Amino acid sequence: MSNLLRLGVNIDHVATIRNARGIAHPDPTRAARMAAEAGADGITAHLREDRRHISDEDIERLSAQIELPLNLEMAATDEMLAIALRHRPHAACIVPEKREELTTEGGLDAHGGENHLRRYVDEMVQAGIRVSLFIDPEERQLVAAHRLGAPVVELHTGCYAEAGPDTWEAELQRLASAAALADDLGLECHAGHGLSYDNVGAVAAITNVRELNIGHFLIGEAIFGGLDSAIKRMRALMDQARAEAAGSRSA
Ligand code: PXP
Protein backbone atom coordinates (compact mmCIF):
# COMPACT_ATOMS: atom_id res chain seq x y z
CA MET A 1 0.00 0.00 0.00
CA SER A 2 1.37 3.42 -0.92
CA ASN A 3 2.25 5.67 1.96
CA LEU A 4 1.51 8.81 0.01
CA LEU A 5 -0.64 11.49 1.62
CA ARG A 6 -1.76 14.23 -0.75
CA LEU A 7 -2.50 17.80 0.26
CA GLY A 8 -5.41 19.55 -1.40
CA VAL A 9 -5.36 23.28 -0.74
CA ASN A 10 -8.79 24.88 -0.49
CA ILE A 11 -8.65 28.44 -1.81
CA ASP A 12 -12.24 29.52 -1.00
CA HIS A 13 -11.20 32.11 1.53
CA VAL A 14 -8.91 33.93 -0.87
CA ALA A 15 -12.18 34.63 -2.68
CA THR A 16 -13.85 35.59 0.62
CA ILE A 17 -11.29 38.37 1.11
CA ARG A 18 -11.56 39.46 -2.53
CA ASN A 19 -15.34 39.59 -2.35
CA ALA A 20 -15.22 41.80 0.75
CA ARG A 21 -14.22 44.59 -1.66
CA GLY A 22 -15.86 43.41 -4.87
CA ILE A 23 -12.64 43.87 -6.85
CA ALA A 24 -10.26 41.38 -8.47
CA HIS A 25 -7.62 41.19 -5.70
CA PRO A 26 -6.64 38.79 -4.14
CA ASP A 27 -7.06 36.33 -6.99
CA PRO A 28 -7.80 32.67 -6.08
CA THR A 29 -6.19 31.47 -9.33
CA ARG A 30 -2.94 33.17 -8.37
CA ALA A 31 -3.19 31.49 -4.95
CA ALA A 32 -3.69 28.15 -6.72
CA ARG A 33 -0.53 28.67 -8.75
CA MET A 34 1.41 29.55 -5.59
CA ALA A 35 -0.01 26.49 -3.84
CA ALA A 36 1.28 24.32 -6.67
CA GLU A 37 4.76 25.80 -6.31
CA ALA A 38 4.67 25.30 -2.54
CA GLY A 39 3.97 21.58 -2.86
CA ALA A 40 0.18 21.18 -2.95
CA ASP A 41 -1.05 18.11 -4.81
CA GLY A 42 -4.43 19.52 -5.73
CA ILE A 43 -6.67 22.57 -5.54
CA THR A 44 -10.09 22.48 -3.94
CA ALA A 45 -12.80 25.10 -4.47
CA HIS A 46 -16.40 25.11 -3.24
CA LEU A 47 -18.85 26.78 -5.60
CA ARG A 48 -21.64 27.53 -3.17
CA GLU A 49 -25.20 28.06 -4.24
CA ASP A 50 -25.07 31.67 -2.96
CA ARG A 51 -21.59 32.28 -4.55
CA ARG A 52 -20.41 33.78 -1.27
CA HIS A 53 -16.76 33.13 -2.11
CA ILE A 54 -15.81 31.18 -5.25
CA SER A 55 -17.56 32.43 -8.40
CA ASP A 56 -18.45 30.72 -11.67
CA GLU A 57 -15.67 32.70 -13.31
CA ASP A 58 -13.18 31.39 -10.72
CA ILE A 59 -14.12 27.82 -11.65
CA GLU A 60 -13.67 28.65 -15.34
CA ARG A 61 -10.26 30.20 -14.74
CA LEU A 62 -9.09 27.45 -12.38
CA SER A 63 -10.18 24.80 -14.89
CA ALA A 64 -8.38 26.55 -17.76
CA GLN A 65 -5.26 27.81 -16.03
CA ILE A 66 -4.07 25.47 -13.31
CA GLU A 67 -2.22 22.24 -13.89
CA LEU A 68 -2.97 20.59 -10.54
CA PRO A 69 -6.07 18.42 -10.32
CA LEU A 70 -9.15 20.48 -9.40
CA ASN A 71 -11.54 19.17 -6.77
CA LEU A 72 -14.89 20.95 -7.13
CA GLU A 73 -16.95 20.91 -3.95
CA MET A 74 -20.63 21.15 -4.73
CA ALA A 75 -24.11 20.54 -3.42
CA ALA A 76 -26.24 17.85 -5.03
CA THR A 77 -28.35 20.20 -7.16
CA ASP A 78 -29.10 20.22 -10.86
CA GLU A 79 -27.38 23.58 -11.28
CA MET A 80 -24.13 22.28 -9.78
CA LEU A 81 -24.34 19.02 -11.70
CA ALA A 82 -24.58 20.95 -14.99
CA ILE A 83 -21.52 23.03 -14.01
CA ALA A 84 -19.53 19.93 -13.07
CA LEU A 85 -20.44 18.19 -16.33
CA ARG A 86 -19.46 21.28 -18.29
CA HIS A 87 -16.03 21.67 -16.66
CA ARG A 88 -15.30 18.02 -15.92
CA PRO A 89 -12.94 18.66 -12.99
CA HIS A 90 -10.63 15.86 -11.92
CA ALA A 91 -12.81 15.34 -8.83
CA ALA A 92 -16.10 16.51 -7.39
CA CYS A 93 -16.88 16.28 -3.71
CA ILE A 94 -20.59 16.37 -2.88
CA VAL A 95 -21.18 18.35 0.30
CA PRO A 96 -24.34 19.27 2.19
CA GLU A 97 -25.24 22.92 1.88
CA LYS A 98 -27.54 25.24 3.73
CA ARG A 99 -27.51 28.92 2.86
CA GLU A 100 -27.52 30.08 6.46
CA GLU A 101 -24.51 28.07 7.64
CA LEU A 102 -21.11 29.73 8.04
CA THR A 103 -19.25 26.69 6.73
CA THR A 104 -20.07 23.06 5.94
CA GLU A 105 -21.50 21.92 9.27
CA GLY A 106 -21.56 18.15 9.44
CA GLY A 107 -21.36 15.58 6.70
CA LEU A 108 -23.71 14.65 3.91
CA ASP A 109 -26.46 12.20 4.87
CA ALA A 110 -25.56 9.57 2.26
CA HIS A 111 -27.59 6.99 4.18
CA GLY A 112 -30.81 9.00 4.39
CA GLY A 113 -30.34 10.72 1.01
CA GLU A 114 -29.34 7.73 -1.07
CA ASN A 115 -32.19 8.04 -3.54
CA HIS A 116 -31.58 11.73 -4.12
CA LEU A 117 -27.80 11.32 -4.47
CA ARG A 118 -27.75 8.36 -6.85
CA ARG A 119 -28.31 10.34 -10.07
CA TYR A 120 -25.59 12.88 -9.20
CA VAL A 121 -23.03 10.20 -8.41
CA ASP A 122 -23.94 8.15 -11.50
CA GLU A 123 -23.82 11.03 -13.96
CA MET A 124 -20.50 12.35 -12.72
CA VAL A 125 -18.88 8.91 -12.49
CA GLN A 126 -20.01 8.25 -16.07
CA ALA A 127 -18.45 11.56 -17.12
CA GLY A 128 -15.10 10.38 -15.71
CA ILE A 129 -15.17 12.66 -12.65
CA ARG A 130 -13.79 11.14 -9.45
CA VAL A 131 -16.77 11.53 -7.13
CA SER A 132 -16.33 11.88 -3.42
CA LEU A 133 -18.94 12.17 -0.66
CA PHE A 134 -18.18 14.37 2.36
CA ILE A 135 -19.54 12.30 5.23
CA ASP A 136 -19.25 11.97 8.99
CA PRO A 137 -17.08 9.05 10.13
CA GLU A 138 -20.02 6.68 10.61
CA GLU A 139 -20.37 3.13 9.39
CA ARG A 140 -23.83 3.59 7.84
CA GLN A 141 -22.60 6.61 5.86
CA LEU A 142 -19.62 4.68 4.50
CA VAL A 143 -21.78 1.71 3.59
CA ALA A 144 -24.23 4.01 1.80
CA ALA A 145 -21.36 5.70 -0.10
CA HIS A 146 -20.18 2.27 -1.20
CA ARG A 147 -23.69 1.27 -2.30
CA LEU A 148 -23.94 4.50 -4.28
CA GLY A 149 -20.79 3.63 -6.20
CA ALA A 150 -18.77 6.70 -5.17
CA PRO A 151 -15.08 5.78 -5.44
CA VAL A 152 -14.01 8.22 -2.71
CA VAL A 153 -15.24 9.41 0.69
CA GLU A 154 -13.98 12.46 2.52
CA LEU A 155 -14.34 12.17 6.29
CA HIS A 156 -15.53 15.33 8.05
CA THR A 157 -12.90 16.10 10.68
CA GLY A 158 -14.87 18.97 12.27
CA CYS A 159 -15.84 17.07 15.45
CA TYR A 160 -12.22 15.95 15.89
CA ALA A 161 -10.91 19.49 15.29
CA GLU A 162 -13.34 20.98 17.78
CA ALA A 163 -13.04 18.25 20.43
CA GLY A 164 -11.75 19.14 23.88
CA PRO A 165 -9.19 17.14 25.86
CA ASP A 166 -11.85 14.65 27.04
CA THR A 167 -13.22 13.73 23.63
CA TRP A 168 -10.23 14.20 21.36
CA GLU A 169 -9.05 10.62 21.41
CA ALA A 170 -12.50 9.19 20.87
CA GLU A 171 -13.03 11.47 17.87
CA LEU A 172 -9.66 10.46 16.46
CA GLN A 173 -10.56 6.80 16.92
CA ARG A 174 -13.83 7.36 15.04
CA LEU A 175 -11.81 8.74 12.12
CA ALA A 176 -9.32 5.86 12.24
CA SER A 177 -12.10 3.23 12.34
CA ALA A 178 -13.97 4.90 9.49
CA ALA A 179 -10.78 5.08 7.40
CA ALA A 180 -10.14 1.37 8.01
CA LEU A 181 -13.71 0.55 6.98
CA ALA A 182 -13.33 2.68 3.85
CA ASP A 183 -10.29 0.61 2.94
CA ASP A 184 -12.20 -2.64 3.52
CA LEU A 185 -14.99 -1.39 1.27
CA GLY A 186 -12.52 -0.39 -1.45
CA LEU A 187 -13.22 3.34 -1.02
CA GLU A 188 -10.38 5.85 -1.24
CA CYS A 189 -10.41 7.85 1.96
CA HIS A 190 -9.83 11.60 2.26
CA ALA A 191 -10.35 13.85 5.27
CA GLY A 192 -10.74 17.53 6.02
CA HIS A 193 -12.31 20.44 7.86
CA GLY A 194 -10.79 22.47 10.66
CA LEU A 195 -7.30 21.03 10.28
CA SER A 196 -4.39 23.14 11.53
CA TYR A 197 -0.71 22.78 12.43
CA ASP A 198 -1.77 21.60 15.89
CA ASN A 199 -4.17 18.84 14.92
CA VAL A 200 -3.07 17.66 11.47
CA GLY A 201 -0.44 15.18 12.66
CA ALA A 202 -2.76 12.62 14.23
CA VAL A 203 -4.99 12.53 11.13
CA ALA A 204 -1.97 12.34 8.82
CA ALA A 205 -0.81 9.33 10.82
CA ILE A 206 -3.93 7.36 9.82
CA THR A 207 -2.31 5.50 6.98
CA ASN A 208 -5.57 4.61 5.17
CA VAL A 209 -6.17 8.32 4.58
CA ARG A 210 -4.87 9.34 1.14
CA GLU A 211 -5.63 13.05 0.99
CA LEU A 212 -6.26 15.97 3.31
CA ASN A 213 -8.17 19.04 2.15
CA ILE A 214 -7.23 22.12 4.11
CA GLY A 215 -8.34 25.72 3.58
CA HIS A 216 -9.30 28.18 6.28
CA PHE A 217 -6.30 27.68 8.51
CA LEU A 218 -3.81 27.94 5.64
CA ILE A 219 -5.32 31.12 4.23
CA GLY A 220 -5.49 32.62 7.73
CA GLU A 221 -1.90 31.67 8.44
CA ALA A 222 -0.82 33.13 5.09
CA ILE A 223 -1.70 36.59 6.46
CA PHE A 224 1.13 36.25 8.96
CA GLY A 225 3.83 34.35 7.12
CA GLY A 226 2.77 34.01 3.50
CA LEU A 227 0.95 31.24 1.65
CA ASP A 228 4.10 29.52 0.47
CA SER A 229 5.45 29.15 3.99
CA ALA A 230 2.07 28.05 5.44
CA ILE A 231 1.67 25.30 2.83
CA LYS A 232 5.27 24.13 3.18
CA ARG A 233 4.94 23.87 6.94
CA MET A 234 1.65 21.98 6.70
CA ARG A 235 3.15 19.64 4.11
CA ALA A 236 6.17 19.01 6.36
CA LEU A 237 3.96 18.23 9.38
CA MET A 238 1.89 15.82 7.29
CA ASP A 239 4.96 14.12 5.86
CA GLN A 240 6.61 13.82 9.26
CA ALA A 241 3.52 12.29 10.91
CA ARG A 242 3.12 9.91 8.00
CA ALA A 243 6.78 8.84 8.08
CA GLU A 244 6.60 8.24 11.84
CA ALA A 245 3.42 6.20 11.49
CA ALA A 246 4.99 4.11 8.73
CA GLY A 247 8.13 3.64 10.87
CA SER A 248 6.21 2.50 13.93
CA ARG A 249 4.20 0.03 11.81
CA SER A 250 7.30 -1.61 10.35
CA ALA A 251 9.22 -1.59 13.67
N1 PXP B 1 -13.30 19.45 2.89
C1 PXP B 1 -14.56 19.84 2.61
C2 PXP B 1 -15.47 18.88 1.92
C3 PXP B 1 -14.99 21.16 2.91
O1 PXP B 1 -16.24 21.53 2.63
C4 PXP B 1 -14.07 22.04 3.51
C5 PXP B 1 -14.46 23.45 3.79
O2 PXP B 1 -15.50 23.51 4.64
C6 PXP B 1 -12.79 21.57 3.79
C7 PXP B 1 -12.42 20.28 3.47
C8 PXP B 1 -11.73 22.47 4.37
O3 PXP B 1 -12.06 22.90 5.64
P1 PXP B 1 -11.22 24.07 6.29
O4 PXP B 1 -11.46 25.29 5.47
O5 PXP B 1 -11.77 24.16 7.67
O6 PXP B 1 -9.78 23.65 6.27
Coordinates of all heavy atoms in Angstrom, one line a residue, residues 21 33 63 66 86 96 100 104 112 149 154 156 165 172 210 213 227 247:
R21 N -14.4 43.3 -1.0 CA -14.2 44.6 -1.7 C -14.9 44.6 -3.0 O -14.9 45.7 -3.7 CB -12.7 44.9 -1.8 CG -12.1 45.6 -0.6 CD -12.7 47.0 -0.5 NE -12.4 47.6 0.8 CZ -11.4 48.3 1.0 NH1 -10.5 48.6 0.1 NH2 -11.2 48.8 2.2
R33 N -1.9 28.8 -8.1 CA -0.5 28.7 -8.8 C 0.6 28.7 -7.7 O 1.5 27.9 -7.7 CB -0.3 29.8 -9.8 CG -1.0 29.5 -11.1 CD -0.4 30.4 -12.2 NE -0.8 31.8 -12.0 CZ -1.9 32.4 -12.5 NH1 -2.7 31.7 -13.3 NH2 -2.2 33.6 -12.2
S63 N -10.1 25.9 -14.0 CA -10.2 24.8 -14.9 C -9.2 25.0 -16.1 O -8.5 24.1 -16.5 CB -11.6 24.6 -15.5 OG -12.5 24.4 -14.4
I66 N -5.0 26.2 -14.2 CA -4.1 25.5 -13.3 C -3.8 24.0 -13.8 O -4.6 23.4 -14.4 CB -4.6 25.5 -11.9 CG1 -5.9 24.7 -11.7 CG2 -4.7 26.9 -11.3 CD1 -6.2 24.3 -10.3
R86 N -20.0 20.4 -17.3 CA -19.5 21.3 -18.3 C -17.9 21.4 -18.1 O -17.2 21.3 -19.1 CB -20.1 22.7 -18.2 CG -19.8 23.6 -19.3 CD -20.8 24.7 -19.4 NE -20.6 25.7 -18.4 CZ -21.5 26.0 -17.5 NH1 -22.7 25.4 -17.5 NH2 -21.2 26.9 -16.5
P96 N -23.0 18.7 1.9 CA -24.3 19.3 2.2 C -24.2 20.8 2.2 O -23.2 21.3 2.4 CB -24.6 18.8 3.6 CG -23.2 18.6 4.2 CD -22.3 18.3 3.0
E100 N -27.8 29.3 5.2 CA -27.5 30.1 6.5 C -26.3 29.6 7.2 O -25.8 30.3 8.1 CB -28.8 30.1 7.4 CG -29.2 28.7 7.8 CD -30.1 27.9 6.8 OE1 -30.2 28.3 5.6 OE2 -30.7 26.9 7.2
T104 N -19.4 24.3 6.1 CA -20.1 23.1 5.9 C -20.2 22.4 7.3 O -19.2 21.8 7.8 CB -19.4 22.2 4.9 OG1 -19.1 23.0 3.8 CG2 -20.2 21.0 4.5
G112 N -29.4 8.6 4.5 CA -30.8 9.0 4.4 C -31.1 9.6 3.0 O -32.3 9.5 2.6
G149 N -21.8 3.8 -5.1 CA -20.8 3.6 -6.2 C -19.8 4.8 -6.3 O -19.1 5.0 -7.3
E154 N -14.8 11.5 1.7 CA -14.0 12.5 2.5 C -14.6 12.5 3.9 O -15.8 12.9 4.1 CB -14.0 13.8 1.9 CG -13.1 14.8 2.7 CD -12.7 16.1 2.0 OE1 -12.6 16.1 0.8 OE2 -12.5 17.1 2.7
H156 N -15.4 14.0 7.4 CA -15.5 15.3 8.0 C -14.8 15.3 9.4 O -15.1 14.5 10.3 CB -17.0 15.6 8.3 CG -17.3 17.1 8.5 ND1 -16.7 17.8 9.5 CD2 -18.1 17.9 7.9 CE1 -17.2 19.0 9.5 NE2 -18.0 19.1 8.5
P165 N -10.1 18.2 25.4 CA -9.2 17.1 25.9 C -9.9 15.8 26.2 O -9.3 14.7 26.1 CB -8.5 17.7 27.1 CG -9.0 19.1 27.2 CD -10.0 19.4 26.2
L172 N -10.7 11.0 17.3 CA -9.7 10.5 16.5 C -9.9 9.0 16.1 O -9.7 8.6 15.0 CB -8.3 10.7 17.2 CG -7.1 10.2 16.3 CD1 -7.0 11.1 15.1 CD2 -5.8 10.4 17.2
R210 N -5.7 9.1 2.3 CA -4.9 9.3 1.1 C -4.7 10.8 0.8 O -3.9 11.2 0.1 CB -5.5 8.7 -0.1 CG -5.7 7.3 0.0 CD -4.6 6.5 -0.6 NE -4.6 5.2 -0.2 CZ -3.7 4.6 0.6 NH1 -2.6 5.3 1.0 NH2 -3.8 3.4 1.0
N213 N -7.8 17.8 2.8 CA -8.2 19.0 2.1 C -8.2 20.1 3.2 O -9.0 20.0 4.2 CB -9.5 18.9 1.4 CG -9.3 18.2 0.1 OD1 -8.5 18.7 -0.8 ND2 -9.9 17.0 -0.1
L227 N 1.6 32.5 2.0 CA 0.9 31.2 1.6 C 2.0 30.1 1.4 O 1.8 29.0 1.8 CB 0.1 31.5 0.4 CG -0.8 30.3 -0.1 CD1 -1.8 29.9 1.0 CD2 -1.5 30.7 -1.4
G247 N 7.0 4.2 10.1 CA 8.1 3.6 10.9 C 7.7 2.8 12.0 O 8.2 1.7 12.2

